[in-house]
Each structure stands twice: as structure tokens, then as C-alpha cells.
Amino acid sequence: MRADDPRDEPDALRAVLANVDRKPPAGWAAVRAFEAAHAIELPEPFRGFLASVSDGCPAGPPAYGLSGLGALTGPEADATLARPFPLTSARFWDEETGPAKGDGTVHLGTDGCAMDWRLVVTGEHRGHVWQFTDVGAQPFGRPFGYTTAEPGFGGWLRHWAAGRDWFDAD
């Protein structure tokens, strides 16, 4: 999916969540302040979503809610947010060999049981959503397998709003 897909415009994404409880938008000043504090620029359409649609969504996605600006990183990730995201394909590991979860990503939310969703903000996979577990990580979207969804934040959001299983590919 191209970055200029009209389905990723703020009004289109707002319509996706029309009947979902969500927080008010953070505003452009807050988004720019976050970016300046972390020396990054958030990828679109997530950037515009936070600024003009919603600064988090308690109903999801994922199961335990979509993070707002205040929860995008944590102490362990703040120092590594601007580092390039190191992965280019699905990878499995044990606790000693896995990359730091914060490297080049922001936390979108969790499905519980060590299943976290993160948006890549640096590196080759910038703009893609990845699922991290305690034993590995994999990119989300049709080009990577596992799902029929479009890649990126907009595809991930629409897939959830349609009530589809995350891994719905045969």
C-alpha cells in the first residue's frame, strides 16, 4: 500500500473508529514535541492519527487498547528509539539473543501473554507494524504472510476494526 492511500487520511481513519470509544487527538504541537524529544519523526498515517484523530483508544486495537503519546515508549526504550530497527524478516530467539524491544519502535499496545504490537519508526521497515512476543517478532501485513491485511498502521487498524483475526491467512 502506498503512503498516500486515501484510506490512511485522518478522516478515513476516524471513520474506521466511528463507533469506538477513543481519546481526543493529541494535537500537532504535542506530536512535534514528542518527535523533537526523541529525535525522530513518526511515520504517517500514525503521526496524523495521533495529532488529529485520537491520542489512544481504550477499546483497541489491540486487545488492551491503543497507546497514546504518553505510553509510546518506556524507560528502556527512550534511549534506543532513534536507533535503526534491526530486523528485516521474522525472527525467533531466546531472552538472551533477542533485540531490545525499543530499538527503532514505539509501543502500540498489547494482546496480553507477552504479545506486544510495535510500530517501526526507523530503518528499512519504517512504517510497518510488528508483533513481538517473548520468543520472536514478525511483521504484520499481507506481503509478509500470516494475514490478509494491508501492511502499515492503517492496514492494521482497519483489519482490527473489521473484526478479523490477526492471523487470518490460510
Side-chain angles (χ1 to χ4, degrees), residues 28-44 46-47 50 69 72-73 77-85 102-107 118-123 126-127:
W28 284 107
V31 170
R32 288 184 187 111
F34 176 89
E35 292 173 332
H38 297 286
I40 60 156
E41 183 175 306
L42 294 169
E44 292 293 352
F46 185 62
R47 185 175 194 251
L50 287 171
L69 274 179
L72 290 183
T73 64
D78 287 342
T80 62
L81 191 57
R83 289 184 189 168
F85 180 65
D103 282 357
T105 67
V106 293
H107 184 258
R118 300 188 74 85
L119 177 67
V120 178
V121 299
T122 61
R126 184 177 191 278

Side-chain angles (χ1 to χ4, degrees), residues 1-2 5 7-8 61 117 127-130 139-170:
M1 176 176 299
R2 295 179 5 206
D5 189 311
R7 294 181 302 161
D8 284 345
W117 293 95
H128 288 283
V129 174
W130 280 61
F140 180 80
R142 182 181 311 128
F144 309 109
Y146 317 111
T147 184
T148 60
E150 294 295 328
F153 178 76
W156 181 76
L157 184 72
R158 286 188 297 276
H159 193 77
W160 172 82
R164 295 189 179 141
D165 290 334
W166 290 124
F167 304 102
D168 64 346
D170 291 336

Side-chain angles (χ1 to χ4, degrees), residues 54-142:
S54 177
D55 185 23
C57 186
Y64 292 96
L66 178 64
S67 297
L69 274 179
L72 290 183
T73 64
E76 78 286 349
D78 287 342
T80 62
L81 191 57
R83 289 184 189 168
F85 180 65
L87 303 179
T88 57
S89 62
R91 184 167 157 210
F92 298 95
W93 58 69
D94 60 38
E95 285 186 31
E96 289 76 37
T97 62
K101 280 188 181 179
D103 282 357
T105 67
V106 293
H107 184 258
L108 293 176
T110 185
D111 276 323
C113 298
M115 293 183 293
D116 293 333
W117 293 95
R118 300 188 74 85
L119 177 67
V120 178
V121 299
T122 61
E124 182 179 329
H125 274 250
R126 184 177 191 278
H128 288 283
V129 174
W130 280 61
Q131 183 192 52
F132 275 80
T133 70
D134 55 344
V135 295
Q138 60 190 11
F140 180 80
R142 182 181 311 128

Side-chain angles (χ1 to χ4, degrees), residues 6-28:
R7 294 181 302 161
D8 284 345
E9 294 295 322
D11 287 341
L13 294 178
R14 187 178 293 107
V16 167
L17 297 177
N19 298 317
V20 176
D21 178 34
R22 63 183 190 267
K23 294 180 181 178
W28 284 107

